Amino acid sequence: MRVLVTGGAGFVGARLRARLSAEGVEVHAPPQSELDVADGAALRAAVARVRPHAVAHLAALSFVPAAEADPAAAFRVNFLGVRAVLEALRGEAPAARALIVSSAAVYGSSARRFDESAPLRPEGAYARSKAAADLLAGRYAELGLNVVRARPFNHTGAGRPAHFVESSLARQLAAAERAAQRAETSAPLRIGNPESVRDILHVEDVVEAYWRLLQPSTPPGVYNIASGRGVSIRELLELLLARTALRPRMETERGRWRPADALVGDARRLRDATGWQPQRSLPDALAELLDYWRHADAK
């Protein structure tokens, strides 16, 4: 099996490459400097060269504030990148499976638990770019391409970039621990709205879901990847604080604050189709994340 992976150097992409290699898959993951995912001609040339049995399209502009600051860049990477991948497959490898990684953000936010039948109500530039790409992928499926649309909810673990909320909190706590060791006064812990609720998985469980969705035996379609359990940002912080002796002073970070919302998923369709279920706990994921920042910033 040959798989072309876009975004293969990213937080999830690097883990997916490792998993594919461990399964004996021939992995091709051109670096971003060599393959612009929004360049249709470049994508088509890459697909023609590799002749993949599947493409795992993970490349995206995924940080919401960055997308809000530059909606054109979000549209180019998140929408035009999907179009380029699908057009390349249609022209060069029409039998190949396309795993298009969308986002739970396409649903908007609500107190309800979202399944795949929920209407798409994206809020903001990032979510709109992903929803447009998701719908486009659905259209290519109608045209006969072998398309799987994955809608992952939040996921974390060691190496999660620091601009995401739980990673920012873990990094701040690790810095506060080092300050305490030096008998220095640490900065207050800066946090947005602690009442927002998210469905958060261990990143390795998401990688496992992608692996199963790449299998030819899994029917094409739309699949949520979710735990089904909502966790508030306050609960996330408490789980991190349980791993340290610190009790830092809190301070609201205005740039992160927004009204409390909720985004929780229903992954029964994925479970029924593949047998997938989360195998790793959120406390373990956060412990790995905190340990990562203890070592990464200490160097």
Side-chain angles (χ1 to χ4, degrees):
M1 185 181 187
R2 286 188 304 280
V3 177
L4 176 64
V5 179
T6 69
F11 170 61
V12 184
R15 286 175 167 81
L16 180 61
R17 284 168 44 216
R19 175 61 189 276
L20 293 174
S21 295
E23 296 288 349
V25 173
E26 181 184 326
V27 181
H28 296 262
Q32 184 179 354
S33 60
E34 297 178 10
L35 182 62
D36 178 356
V37 294
D39 184 335
L43 255 296
R44 185 158 184 161
V47 170
R49 181 175 64 256
V50 174
R51 295 290 176 184
H53 300 105
V55 172
H57 182 53
L58 278 65
L61 195 165
S62 59
F63 185 47
V64 172
E68 298 304 320
D70 193 347
F75 176 81
R76 183 179 186 278
V77 176
N78 295 347
F79 177 79
L80 296 182
V82 167
R83 187 181 71 173
V85 167
L86 294 170
E87 276 294 308
L89 288 177
R90 188 165 72 157
E92 301 295 338
R97 167 153 293 193
L99 172 60
I100 303 299
V101 175
S102 180
S103 168
V106 301
Y107 294 122
S109 60
S110 170
R112 66 173 287 182
R113 182 179 298 178
F114 294 101
D115 65 19
E116 295 85 352
S117 68
L120 305 192
R121 292 174 176 163
E123 303 166 1
Y126 167 75
R128 287 194 295 271
S129 70
K130 296 297 277 188
D134 193 311
L135 294 171
L136 181 70
R139 178 56 183 154
Y140 275 82
E142 292 171 355
L143 295 173
L145 281 190
N146 183 349
V147 178
V148 173
R149 287 179 279 166
R151 293 175 182 164
F153 285 67
N154 291 55
H155 38 285
T156 195
R160 173 81 153 159
H163 44 249
F164 294 99
V165 58
E166 80 288 350
S167 194
S168 171
L169 294 173
R171 190 180 193 184
Q172 291 180 73
L173 284 173
E177 286 179 335
R178 287 191 293 275
Q181 290 169 0
R182 297 190 297 266
E184 298 173 356
T185 301
S186 62
L189 193 69
R190 299 174 64 82
I191 189 171
N193 192 331
E195 305 311 323
S196 289
V197 172
R198 293 293 180 267
D199 184 327
I200 306 180
L201 291 160
H202 193 296
V203 62
E204 293 293 348
D205 282 325
V206 174
V207 168
E208 175 65 24
Y210 291 164
W211 166 244
R212 296 190 186 201
L213 291 173
L214 285 167
Q215 302 309 305
S217 58
T218 301
V222 185
Y223 296 92
N224 285 343
I225 305 173
S227 74
R229 177 177 179 268
V231 180
S232 71
I233 304 305
R234 186 183 304 279
E235 289 176 272
L236 283 178
L237 179 55
E238 290 171 355
L239 288 170
L240 286 166
L241 288 171
R243 299 280 177 169
T244 177
L246 297 178
R247 291 299 177 267
R249 178 169 59 89
M250 308 294 175
E251 184 176 287
T252 299
E253 185 176 3
R254 291 298 172 187
R256 282 188 177 274
W257 194 95
R258 59 187 178 191
D261 58 1
L263 187 56
V264 181
D266 182 332
R268 282 178 291 181
R269 179 179 292 179
L270 177 63
R271 182 195 64 205
D272 292 346
T274 70
W276 177 90
Q277 293 188 74
Q279 299 297 312
R280 300 162 180 84
S281 73
L282 179 58
D284 285 348
L286 294 173
E288 293 168 17
L289 180 61
L290 182 57
D291 284 343
Y292 168 80
W293 284 119
R294 283 167 171 158
H295 294 93
D297 282 349
K299 295 177 181 177

